[in-house]
């Protein structure tokens, strides 16, 4: 590159666009501690009371039509700043994205939820992403996430209510796993362009019924209503492109991106993501 461009060596990378990079023996740590502290100061939360999770397990946010409005500009500024922080803090991704839904008409309840995220940052300012050295292999691991699906009543006609509820959950898990499968196939092809060949990719699903539907080649009478386009998951399981694997709900790593969690579970999954505290490496 130096033959083509005028360049100068200014030493090891330490700081870039709000990101702090620490290259130590054993790996690289990326965090935004300074940005985080500046963020707290900017929104006058520097002296707030710390809290151990970004969202309460019993917290439910909705449009809150009758709630008291708050300054829209300030709310949007807070959300924008927090979204930039998610680049090194996937542990706040769910809570920030949930609060971001209400930028059009923010209310006091939404502002309170955002301030709780800031209180969590006060508790964990030096947390970031740890990339350990020595990884010998490159692979893909998929997680099937249930999505909330709005189905027409035609799906439920003639089906007992108790079964309809159970079927709704299994169907949602099955279709979500299908969407995940599509992403896995895209990633496999992209890696193949770089000469990286991936075999059968594990796709972890915490719904036993959905996993059985994917493995069962027979159209059961109670699953025949599912749109045929969603059954390509079953086809790729048969081809060996993916392997549907059951995982216990409490071990579902992706839960940290889909729901508020208690402190013990939240901290355990955060650690499994290699989102660690930089102070432990000093």
């Amino acid at each position: 590159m130096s033959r083509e461009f005028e360049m100068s060596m200014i030493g090891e990378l330490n700081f870039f666009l709000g990101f702090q990079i620490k290259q130590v023996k054993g790996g690289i740590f990326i965090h935004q501690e300074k940005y985080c502290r500046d963020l707290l100061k900017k929104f006058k939360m520097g002296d707030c009371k710390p809290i151990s999770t970004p969202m309460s397990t019993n917290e439910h946010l909705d449009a809150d039509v009758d709630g008291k409005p708050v300054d829209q500009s300030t709310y949007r500024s807070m959300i924008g700043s927090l979204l930039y922080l998610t680049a090194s803090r996937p542990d706040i991704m769910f809570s920030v994205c949930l609060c971001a839904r209400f930028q059009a008409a923010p209310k006091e309840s939404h502002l309170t939820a955002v301030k709780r995220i800031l209180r969590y940052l006060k508790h964990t300012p030096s947390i970031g992403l740890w990339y350990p050295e020595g990884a010998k292999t490159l692979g893909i691991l998929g997680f099937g996430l249930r999505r909330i699906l709005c189905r027409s009543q035609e799906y439920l006609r003639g089906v007992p209510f108790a079964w309809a509820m159970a079927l709704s959950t299994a169907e949602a898990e099955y279709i979500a796993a299908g969407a995940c499968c599509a992403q896995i196939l895209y990633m496999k092809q992209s890696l193949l362009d770089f000469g990286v060949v991936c075999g059968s990719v594990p796709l972890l699903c915490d719904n036993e019924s959905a996993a059985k539907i994917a493995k069962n080649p027979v159209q059961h009478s109670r699953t025949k209503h599912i749109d045929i386009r969603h059954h390509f998951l079953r086809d790729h399981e048969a081809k060996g492109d993916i392997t549907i694997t059951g995982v216990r709900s409490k071990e579902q790593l992706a839960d940290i991106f889909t729901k508020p969690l208690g402190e013990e579970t939240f901290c355990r999954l955060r650690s499994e993501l290699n989102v660690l505290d930089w102070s432990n490496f000093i």
Side-chain angles (χ1 to χ4, degrees):
M1 290 183 68
S2 61
R3 289 196 300 267
E4 300 293 331
F5 303 99
E6 185 177 344
M7 302 176 65
S8 60
M9 179 61 70
I10 58 176
E12 188 177 89
L13 177 64
N14 292 307
F15 193 87
F16 182 74
L17 296 178
F19 290 86
Q20 293 166 261
I21 298 92
K22 302 292 184 181
Q23 301 182 48
V24 298
K25 184 178 181 181
I28 298 175
F29 196 89
I30 298 176
H31 65 106
Q32 293 172 274
E33 182 176 359
K34 183 181 184 302
Y35 177 87
C36 184
R37 295 189 186 280
D38 290 344
L39 186 63
L40 291 169
K41 186 183 299 183
K42 176 182 178 180
F43 296 112
K44 299 178 174 59
M45 295 288 288
D47 297 324
C48 66
K49 184 178 179 180
I51 199 165
S52 58
T53 60
M55 182 168 283
S56 169
T57 54
N58 57 9
E59 189 166 0
H60 174 71
L61 288 181
D62 55 26
D64 194 10
V65 179
D66 299 324
K68 183 179 178 181
V70 296
D71 183 68
Q72 190 180 83
S73 178
T74 301
Y75 187 85
R76 288 182 173 181
S77 179
M78 296 171 84
I79 292 296
S81 299
L82 287 170
L83 283 172
Y84 188 71
L85 187 59
T86 59
S88 67
R89 295 292 300 265
D91 52 321
I92 63 171
M93 181 70 74
F94 170 73
S95 52
V96 172
C97 289
L98 181 60
C99 292
R101 298 178 186 178
F102 308 105
Q103 294 182 81
K107 304 296 171 60
E108 275 191 343
S109 59
H110 307 137
L111 182 60
T112 299
V114 172
K115 286 185 175 180
R116 180 184 173 111
I117 300 173
L118 293 172
R119 291 173 60 199
Y120 169 68
L121 296 179
K122 173 71 173 180
H123 180 66
T124 58
S126 55
I127 275 183
L129 290 169
W130 168 244
Y131 293 93
E133 68 175 3
K136 302 299 183 183
T137 59
L138 177 64
I140 303 173
L141 182 62
F143 294 87
L145 303 179
R146 182 174 66 203
R147 296 183 287 184
I148 299 175
L149 303 176
C150 297
R151 291 290 178 231
S152 67
Q153 291 300 316
E154 292 178 0
Y155 275 92
L156 305 181
R157 281 181 193 164
V159 182
F161 182 74
W163 170 247
M165 292 299 290
L167 180 60
S168 176
T169 301
E171 180 183 343
E173 294 276 8
Y174 180 68
I175 295 174
C180 183
C181 176
Q183 292 297 317
I184 288 173
L185 295 176
Y186 168 77
M187 293 174 70
K188 286 182 68 173
Q189 185 59 50
S190 297
L191 289 173
L192 190 60
D193 293 340
F194 292 96
V196 179
V197 179
C198 296
S200 183
V201 175
L203 200 168
L204 307 183
C205 180
D206 62 4
N207 185 282
E208 186 178 348
S209 297
K212 287 182 177 179
I213 294 173
K215 293 176 178 291
N216 185 4
V218 179
Q219 282 277 21
H220 194 280
S221 61
R222 289 180 171 178
T223 61
K224 64 182 181 181
H225 71 285
I226 300 177
D227 197 324
I228 189 82
R229 65 194 173 97
H230 296 302
H231 286 307
F232 90 107
L233 174 67
R234 182 183 298 166
D235 297 336
H236 286 286
E237 161 77 18
K239 290 178 182 178
D241 292 328
I242 61 169
T243 303
I244 301 292
T245 304
V247 60
R248 293 188 298 175
S249 294
K250 69 176 185 178
E251 296 174 354
Q252 179 60 290
L253 179 60
D255 279 352
I256 198 171
F257 299 119
T258 63
K259 64 183 72 171
L261 301 169
E263 181 179 356
E264 181 181 353
T265 303
F266 178 81
C267 292
R268 176 172 55 81
L269 295 183
R270 184 183 66 190
S271 178
E272 288 184 23
L273 285 173
N274 264 7
V275 179
L276 308 174
D277 193 327
W278 163 244
S279 62
N280 295 330
F281 290 80
I282 299 176

